[in-house]
Amino acid sequence: MPLFSFEGVSPTVHPDAWIAPTATLIGDVVIEKNVSIWYGVVIRADFGKIVIREGANIQDNSVIHVNTGVCEVGRNVTVGHMCLVHDCTIGEQALIGNGSTVLDQARIGERALIAAGATVGPNTEVPPEVIAMGTPAKKFVPLSDSARAWVDHNAAVYQELARRHAAGIEPVES
């Protein structure tokens, strides 16, 4: 896994986390227990600190960056494929849908779901247990039963999948 020190500060990765071999972590990044960082992800902490809390999963080709301060991804959060998470706080067990953008100083409530392709603008507060939709995300509705199922189970699914990848991927000789 590509880990890079920046100005003397190196990423810290818990031994029970799984980092895909093509993910890149740079600078003041903290990865806690049972986190999975998937293929093509870039987490770059060159201005401030990025903390990925226990059980979270950051899926393929997503990017996380921070300005000064701390960008925090809470426990059991799912950041879907191809998301941009920039200098914000994501509450416990929230789900950031594929292709979404969460911008500077936004705060995503616990168990909230950001709809696929939505953009959460700077300084936006998304309440807990809602679906946030739109670009910019201004429509908040209560979690539906199907959305609640995704929020309830997605982190556990990815924790198990990460264990399978840790045990089962191997480079293929060309």
Side-chain angles (χ1 to χ4, degrees):
M1 83 186 100
L3 301 178
F4 296 94
S5 175
F6 178 73
E7 295 180 345
V9 181
S10 298
T12 303
V13 177
H14 191 282
D16 292 333
W18 180 74
I19 312 297
T22 59
T24 304
L25 282 59
I26 304 157
D28 197 1
V29 176
V30 176
I31 304 295
E32 292 186 350
K33 182 178 181 178
N34 293 330
V35 165
S36 59
I37 307 296
W38 292 83
Y39 304 93
V41 167
V42 174
I43 301 176
R44 180 166 56 92
D46 46 9
F47 290 122
K49 182 176 195 160
I50 297 171
V51 180
I52 312 296
R53 297 286 180 206
E54 183 174 342
N57 64 94
I58 314 301
Q59 296 177 12
D60 310 71
N61 296 314
S62 289
V63 173
I64 301 177
H65 188 245
V66 63
N67 288 329
T68 59
V70 178
C71 178
E72 183 172 345
V73 175
R75 292 182 71 236
N76 294 317
V77 162
T78 292
V79 174
H81 309 284
M82 297 182 64
C83 292
L84 171 62
V85 173
H86 197 271
D87 197 30
C88 58
T89 301
I90 301 175
E92 186 170 325
Q93 207 165 344
L95 193 154
I96 311 304
N98 295 342
S100 296
T101 300
V102 182
L103 293 173
D104 302 52
Q105 302 306 305
R107 298 186 64 77
I108 308 302
E110 292 183 3
R111 299 179 46 76
L113 188 153
I114 307 305
T119 298
V120 178
N123 301 304
T124 300
E125 182 96 22
V126 175
E129 298 206 16
V130 300
I131 302 171
M133 297 175 272
T135 300
K138 291 188 176 187
K139 182 177 181 183
F140 304 145
V141 299
L143 289 176
S144 64
D145 288 342
S146 62
R148 188 174 307 283
W150 281 100
V151 168
D152 287 344
H153 302 292
N154 203 66
V157 168
Y158 267 82
Q159 289 167 17
E160 175 56 30
L161 187 58
R163 284 189 278 279
R164 291 176 53 207
H165 276 257
I169 63 166
E170 294 183 27
V172 175
E173 299 296 324
S174 52

